[in-house]
Amino acid sequence: MESTFLFYFQMGWQHIVDWAALDHILFLAALCALYTLADWRRVLLLVTAFTLGHCLTLVLAGMDILRLPADWVEMLIPATIMLTAIYNLSTSERASSNVDAPPKFRTRLGFVYLFTLIFGLIHGLGFSNTFRSMLFPGEEQQLVTQLLGFNLGIELGQILIVIIILGLAYLFIEQFNFSTKKWNWLLSGGAFLVASYLFFERLLTMI
């Protein structure tokens, strides 16, 4: 059982830190764009909500309950990044238009967590076919171990990426004198542009 856990843990880790997981990394970047290192607890809760949605999809895929066309899933994933970036940019504009009022996203965390979980479901679908193909035949009784190892590997990779992003936020804001608004625009705008390219590229392949 230990070797099975380590195998799937390594696979989960490799999936999230691999260049092939670019859209997953872009989503994490967009997810963190509104926050700084001081907000690490809130970011950790968001990443956990994302992981829960991601894990639920893999459970359903592992039990062969959920199957969706891969083309649609691959198109929906960059759409989640675009929507997150748009939300970030619109929130930044609303907050800057009234400096005396607290940013609205801070008072609507339930909304943010809910959609982060839903977007986690969608991103999990991108891994589901790969995960299903990795399941060892005749070892369905070890599904919990396999899911636990794979998701913990992904979670560790996500935490590493978030640490890097929040570290860069600290560097730009504290050392390079970027405003939080400029940092948000840099990160969200960059994520939106790359995700838009991926979205329309995948859309064209479906037409």
Side-chain angles (χ1 to χ4, degrees):
M1 183 175 292
E2 182 179 353
S3 61
T4 300
F5 174 85
L6 291 176
F7 173 82
Y8 282 95
F9 179 88
Q10 182 181 13
M11 292 301 296
W13 164 265
Q14 289 175 346
H15 268 289
I16 195 61
V17 299
D18 191 86
W19 183 250
L22 173 62
D23 41 17
H24 202 103
I25 296 170
L26 280 174
F27 181 80
L28 291 174
L31 193 65
C32 295
L34 288 173
Y35 303 99
T36 63
L37 194 58
D39 301 311
W40 67 268
R41 292 180 182 84
R42 186 171 293 136
V43 175
L44 184 60
L45 287 175
L46 283 171
V47 172
T48 300
F50 180 72
T51 302
L52 287 174
H54 194 277
C55 181
L56 178 58
T57 304
L58 291 181
V59 169
L60 296 175
M63 297 174 67
D64 207 18
I65 295 174
L66 180 64
R67 285 179 181 266
L68 287 179
D71 290 345
W72 280 98
V73 173
E74 291 303 314
M75 189 178 66
L76 284 173
I77 288 175
T80 66
I81 302 168
M82 295 164 65
L83 290 172
T84 302
I86 291 171
Y87 174 79
N88 291 346
L89 297 174
S90 63
T91 297
S92 178
E93 286 302 310
R94 290 196 301 270
S96 63
S97 66
N98 187 354
V99 294
D100 295 325
K104 288 187 177 181
F105 73 88
R106 294 184 185 274
T107 62
R108 293 160 59 186
L109 287 178
F111 170 85
V112 175
Y113 290 142
L114 175 61
F115 273 86
T116 301
L117 187 145
I118 292 171
F119 288 169
L121 290 169
I122 295 172
H123 280 252
L125 288 170
F127 281 118
S128 62
N129 289 333
T130 301
F131 179 76
R132 191 185 295 109
S133 68
M134 293 188 325
L135 294 178
F136 295 150
E139 296 190 359
E140 290 79 6
Q141 69 276 13
Q142 295 193 38
L143 181 60
V144 173
T145 302
Q146 295 163 341
L147 285 166
L148 182 62
F150 192 74
N151 281 287
L152 284 178
I154 287 176
E155 181 73 352
L156 183 61
Q158 289 181 159
I159 291 173
L160 174 62
I161 292 167
V162 167
I163 289 173
I164 293 172
I165 294 169
L166 293 181
L168 287 172
Y170 175 84
L171 184 66
F172 273 78
I173 295 170
E174 300 296 333
Q175 303 301 320
F176 297 158
N177 296 318
F178 259 55
S179 66
T180 53
K181 180 180 177 180
K182 285 182 179 179
W183 172 249
N184 177 33
W185 272 87
L186 176 66
L187 205 56
S188 297
F192 179 84
L193 289 175
V194 177
S196 297
Y197 172 80
L198 294 174
F199 177 82
F200 287 107
E201 179 185 49
R202 294 167 186 180
L203 177 62
L204 289 175
T205 63
M206 295 175 60
I207 298 177

